Amino acid sequence: MSISDLEVNEAPADTAARIEAVLSRGMDTFETVHRTKDGTTWPVEISVRVQGGGSGRMLAFLRDISARKRAEALLRTRLRLTELAQTGTLDGLLQFALDAAEEVTGSSIGFFHYVDADQQRLSLQAWSTNTLERMCTAEGKGQHYAIDEAGVWVDAFHKRAPVIHNDYAGLAHKKGMPEGHAPVTRELVVPFIREGKVTEIMGVGNKASDYDQADVEAVQLIAGMVQDLVERVRAEEALRESESRLAAIFQASPIAIVVSRAADGKILECNDAALLMYGYAREEVMGRTVAELGTYARLSQREELVRQLRERGSVERFTLDFRRRNGELGVLEVSGRIVELQGEPCLVALIMDVTERRRLEEVHLQAQKLESLGTLTGGIAHDFNNILAAIRGNADLAAEDVGKDHVAAQSLDEIRKAGVRASELVRRIMAFGRPREAQQRTVDLGAVVGEVLKLLRSTLPTGISLLQTFAPDAPHVLADAGQIHEAIVNLTTNAAYAIGPRAGSIEYRLERVQVDDDLARRIPGLQPGRYARLTVTDSGCGMDTATLERIFDAFYTTKPIMRSHGGAVTVESTPGKGSSFALYFPAAQDNAQPDAVAAPAQIPLSAGQRVMYVDDEEPLVFLASRVLSRLGHSVSGYTDPKQALAAFRERPLDFDVVVTDLSMPHMSGFELAREVLALRPDTPVLMTSGYIRAEDESRARAAGIRELILKPVTMDELGRVLDRILRDSRTSN
């Protein structure tokens, strides 16, 4: 046997050259790898000396340096693993550890598995480089295995100790390999144990000779290095994943989020929603304060916000006015807390733009005010109309008594005119605030709009001008005047809110338009034909696209009103330049004129009737008695409905007609009418009221009341109603 038969690293020629060098120098010490008789290899250190006498003999001392080489390899492994833990990935760290374990044990397979927290399943996390490139094509990372179904390679899990299988083929409990897996001849598996649970297993396989305790110790050393590093790297990766998720959530949040340094207010981070809300680019806000950006509309609010943060360390739904980059004003709700980030106090603020919500709340509040106005009107209209009725009626009587040539006749005429104007004002307010069923009639749209603007003028800031441009050829429309009132109030209220405290204008333009097929296609709800178009344009702050998309949301009734009229409403707006609403009303039929009250027929009035007049207002009873007496009737007046009922019950045939007020103490007009009709069903009953609701009209019809009259009613009008009712009664009888 020659030296080259033992040598693993050198070719025979290289070995011969080394021998010549030793003979030349006389001695040498070097390291190499030798092969044993069974084929295994081992590292050796050879010290050789040439013996004297020119015999050419050499004396060599061989030292097994396997332990030293393994220690050196493990040291290099520790250093490299530490480096990978700081700069590499978890996969790279595990693969290097497996490569090192293969190297120190002379193996050709390496694998690393995680054990689930429930100790029921394994997941393959890594294979060694050699296994991936040369040995195995089976499915790799992430493959899950049920521990109960796994074979001999989980024996280390069950025993909670290192396991060597040097006769893999002879093991009775092996389960076979998945397709593409490298054949296994030997294996060594080491478990990782933390707090009494196996958390990972690491294994090597296919060493040329049997695994021994030295191999176990080497793999355990590498496993020990990996265990702490894997835990740290996994924690760091989990932290990075968490930070990535939080960053994604931060940016995706529809709520604006701003992080600023508490000491100086400089913005450290903000999300896209905040940039969109304020109208700035990211590079324009980073490192600057909100105050430097000029977004505070009121410095007093900023001072109060800072005060609360200093005192409490947090704020909840703090409301403040703000200014966007384009100068547009809005309202914010800020909720924030002082927290420590990277060692310094910072304010994390969640900010909601509630401008549109506040606008809708204002609209809703205005609607509630109008509803309250209707309720208030109903409460006071009765008394006020009673007063007006007394004033107008007595003025009429006085004028008749003194004659038109009397010195007081002109003054009485002015009193009568003032009474008429007061009655008209009450009528407008009541028509405006009283809910009722829609009644569409042919109306002059310009007259209706002019009427509601007279009512609204006193409620608007003096700095807002109301401009009216009504084309003379604008067609009449079939519409409900009350709902038109409501639509105009909605538009005007919103326009005034958009203008704000500064001076501005609202223009109302009425014109005739012909809607062709193209325009009808562009405006949903329209059909080709003639329309009256009312355009309401304001000089307010305007609206952005998002607001325009929600403009007809809750509390905004203009759109359904227009739909119920067979028309449509469109809107155009530009931030900072105002808004324009166009209302399209289908024109009424050709030559249709507004409905008007017919003039009273000049016919002689009935006389000689016996009238019971009941009202809790003594001046009205006195007035009715005088007026109806002048018309030739016999009047029995009562201010107490119970006394009136007692008189009727005692003498039911002594009365031809009963006139009663609706709202009276102790007994309502409905109750009195029901008792009267129960006693004598053919009795004509009339009812008067200063405030008539839709349900009152329904109840009156159901109760058999012939007429429901809205106060103030002149005595002449009352006489004509009585005449008509009595004539109808005689005809039916």
Side-chain angles (χ1 to χ4, degrees):
M1 177 181 292
S2 64
I3 293 176
S4 60
D5 293 329
L6 302 175
E7 183 62 45
V8 174
N9 291 343
E10 295 180 348
D14 296 327
T15 302
R18 182 184 292 277
I19 293 173
E20 289 297 329
V22 171
L23 290 173
S24 173
R25 292 195 300 268
M27 58 183 300
D28 195 6
T29 300
F30 59 92
E31 295 176 2
T32 187
V33 178
H34 279 186
R35 183 180 293 106
T36 63
K37 183 177 181 180
D38 61 7
T40 59
T41 61
W42 55 294
V44 295
E45 180 185 82
I46 301 176
S47 297
V48 60
R49 181 183 298 275
V50 180
Q51 291 186 342
S55 63
R57 292 182 179 179
M58 293 179 290
L59 181 62
F61 296 92
L62 280 69
R63 184 158 62 96
D64 185 349
I65 58 173
S66 299
R68 192 187 80 193
K69 287 294 184 180
R70 180 170 290 176
E72 291 173 352
L74 292 173
L75 178 60
R76 290 194 302 272
T77 299
R78 180 183 295 278
L79 295 174
R80 179 57 179 158
L81 287 174
T82 303
E83 180 183 348
L84 288 173
Q86 296 174 348
T87 62
T89 64
L90 179 60
D91 288 347
L93 185 150
L94 292 176
Q95 193 167 28
F96 177 80
L98 292 172
D99 291 347
E102 282 184 353
E103 179 185 352
V104 298
T105 61
S107 302
S108 58
I109 292 177
F111 55 88
F112 186 96
H113 289 272
Y114 285 130
V115 180
D116 290 351
D118 60 6
Q119 304 286 281
Q120 299 298 314
R121 299 184 70 82
L122 295 170
S123 60
L124 177 61
Q125 178 64 23
W127 270 328
S128 68
T129 303
N130 186 66
T131 306
L132 284 173
E133 294 179 354
R134 299 183 179 86
M135 303 286 295
C136 189
T137 60
E139 293 185 12
K141 181 179 178 180
Q143 184 71 22
H144 289 267
Y145 306 92
I147 290 177
D148 290 343
E149 299 174 4
V152 298
W153 52 281
V154 294
D155 287 352
F157 170 84
H158 295 301
K159 295 181 178 180
R160 298 175 179 270
V163 171
I164 293 175
H165 293 135
N166 283 324
D167 184 16
Y168 189 89
L171 296 174
H173 61 293
K174 67 179 185 297
K175 297 289 182 69
M177 298 294 178
E179 183 178 354
H181 197 285
V184 177
T185 57
R186 298 178 179 85
E187 70 172 7
L188 163 60
V189 184
V190 174
F192 292 47
I193 300 177
R194 290 189 183 92
E195 299 179 356
K197 288 187 175 182
V198 178
T199 56
E200 299 94 7
I201 60 173
M202 179 177 180
V204 291
N206 289 4
K207 180 181 177 182
S209 58
D210 288 348
Y211 289 104
D212 55 24
Q213 186 59 33
D215 295 319
V216 171
E217 293 172 358
V219 175
Q220 281 183 317
L221 281 172
I222 294 175
M225 301 175 198
V226 169
Q227 186 170 20
D228 293 336
L229 294 175
V230 165
E231 187 172 5
R232 190 180 85 188
V233 172
R234 290 185 74 180
E236 291 172 351
E237 286 192 351
L239 178 61
R240 284 194 294 271
E241 289 178 4
S242 176
E243 290 174 344
S244 178
R245 284 194 299 269
L246 288 176
I249 295 171
F250 178 83
Q251 288 300 337
S253 170
I255 299 175
I257 306 175
V258 177
V259 181
S260 57
R261 197 157 45 214
D264 55 16
K266 291 189 180 298
I267 296 173
L268 304 177
E269 188 56 81
C270 65
N271 66 352
D272 293 340
L275 298 173
L276 181 64
M277 181 181 70
Y278 286 114
Y280 287 92
R282 181 172 298 277
E283 58 271 14
E284 293 176 305
V285 303
M286 300 304 291
R288 300 177 67 187
T289 68
V290 175
E292 289 172 348
L293 295 173
T295 60
Y296 287 109
R298 298 185 186 180
L299 291 179
S300 60
Q301 292 177 335
R302 173 182 176 272
E303 293 168 357
E304 176 61 18
L305 175 64
V306 172
R307 185 191 68 78
Q308 290 190 23
L309 286 170
R310 285 175 177 168
E311 290 181 0
R312 308 181 203 166
S314 65
V315 292
E316 294 292 336
R317 302 183 68 177
F318 183 91
T319 302
L320 55 84
D321 300 317
F322 81 109
R323 183 180 293 104
R324 306 182 202 273
R325 184 181 182 183
N326 62 6
E328 182 182 340
L329 297 176
V331 184
L332 299 178
E333 271 189 1
V334 181
S335 297
R337 187 175 300 276
I338 301 294
V339 298
E340 188 170 296
L341 298 176
Q342 296 180 341
E344 62 179 341
C346 295
L347 170 63
V348 178
L350 278 66
I351 308 171
M352 293 185 63
D353 184 348
V354 296
T355 307
E356 180 62 12
R357 190 182 79 193
R358 287 302 177 91
R359 188 194 69 78
L360 292 174
E361 288 173 354
E362 288 287 340
V363 173
H364 185 41
L365 179 61
Q366 184 66 19
Q368 288 180 320
K369 288 180 180 178
L370 294 175
E371 185 178 348
S372 298
L373 176 61
T375 304
L376 180 62
T377 300
I380 67 173
H382 178 269
D383 292 339
F384 192 55
N385 279 327
N386 284 342
I387 296 171
L388 286 175
I391 292 172
R392 292 178 63 183
N394 281 289
D396 288 340
L397 289 175
E400 185 178 328
D401 288 340
V402 302
K404 61 182 178 181
D405 295 329
H406 193 277
V407 66
Q410 185 176 358
S411 297
L412 290 170
D413 190 50
E414 290 301 318
I415 292 174
R416 293 164 69 186
K417 289 179 181 178
V420 171
R421 288 197 300 271
S423 297
E424 178 63 17
L425 177 60
V426 173
R427 186 193 67 78
R428 286 177 182 170
I429 295 175
M430 289 176 63
F432 187 62
R434 183 176 64 209
R436 58 185 177 80
E437 294 181 3
Q439 297 177 348
Q440 294 187 0
R441 298 184 175 92
T442 301
V443 298
D444 180 346
L445 193 56
V448 175
V449 174
E451 184 179 74
V452 72
L453 293 184
K454 287 179 184 177
L455 187 63
L456 286 175
R457 175 63 277 180
S458 62
T459 69
L460 299 174
T462 56
I464 297 179
S465 302
L466 302 182
L467 310 176
Q468 301 177 49
T469 305
F470 297 165
D473 64 342
H476 295 141
V477 300
L478 188 65
D480 181 277
Q483 289 188 338
I484 295 177
H485 278 218
E486 185 176 353
I488 301 304
V489 169
N490 275 338
L491 294 173
T492 304
T493 302
N494 281 313
Y497 179 82
I499 293 171
R502 61 183 184 277
S505 64
I506 307 173
E507 180 182 6
Y508 304 82
R509 179 179 295 274
L510 179 62
E511 57 193 332
R512 173 191 184 126
V513 295
Q514 185 71 30
V515 174
D516 56 19
D517 292 337
D518 180 60
L519 185 58
R521 281 192 297 269
R522 287 189 282 115
I523 302 178
L526 291 189
Q527 300 293 329
R530 288 190 313 126
Y531 285 78
R533 181 172 63 194
L534 175 64
T535 306
V536 182
T537 304
D538 66 69
S539 60
C541 61
M543 295 174 283
D544 56 22
T545 302
T547 304
L548 280 174
E549 291 176 351
R550 303 190 306 272
I551 190 60
F552 296 116
D553 281 354
F555 317 132
Y556 207 101
T557 58
T558 303
K559 191 171 185 178
I561 287 175
M562 295 308 301
R563 189 183 297 121
S564 70
H565 283 75
V569 57
T570 64
V571 57
E572 296 179 358
S573 185
T574 303
K577 296 185 178 180
S579 303
S580 181
F581 290 80
L583 281 62
Y584 290 81
F585 293 87
Q589 294 181 355
D590 291 341
N591 303 321
Q593 295 299 316
D595 294 348
V597 178
Q602 299 299 316
I603 58 175
L605 299 178
S606 301
Q609 304 301 313
R610 297 166 298 178
V611 180
M612 173 181 278
Y613 193 92
V614 187
D615 197 302
D616 59 315
E617 292 287 337
E618 187 172 353
L620 293 184
V621 175
F622 174 74
L623 177 63
S625 298
R626 291 182 62 197
V627 170
L628 294 176
S629 294
R630 288 193 183 190
L631 294 175
H633 299 296
S634 173
V635 181
S636 299
Y638 297 89
T639 58
D640 185 342
K642 289 188 175 181
Q643 290 181 2
L645 178 59
F648 190 90
R649 184 177 284 118
E650 183 179 347
R651 307 184 309 277
L653 298 178
D654 286 358
F655 302 100
D656 298 313
V657 62
V658 174
V659 181
T660 178
D661 188 26
L662 190 157
S663 299
M664 297 180 292
H666 310 304
M667 179 180 285
S668 72
F670 285 121
E671 293 173 305
L672 177 60
R674 185 166 54 248
E675 294 291 339
V676 166
L677 293 172
L679 293 169
R680 203 181 110 196
D682 63 337
T683 306
V685 179
L686 283 70
M687 185 175 289
T688 64
S689 178
Y691 181 66
I692 299 175
R693 302 166 298 178
E695 55 264 37
D696 295 332
E697 296 174 349
S698 300
R699 287 183 65 188
R701 287 192 298 269
I705 295 171
R706 303 287 182 89
E707 194 87 18
L708 191 58
I709 307 170
L710 179 65
K711 294 179 181 179
V713 58
T714 66
M715 293 300 105
D716 182 63
E717 291 169 344
L718 178 59
R720 293 185 182 279
V721 172
L722 280 172
D723 180 72
R724 177 168 52 82
I725 295 297
L726 292 169
R727 287 176 187 272
D728 291 344
S729 295
R730 286 196 295 270
T731 301
S732 62
N733 291 332

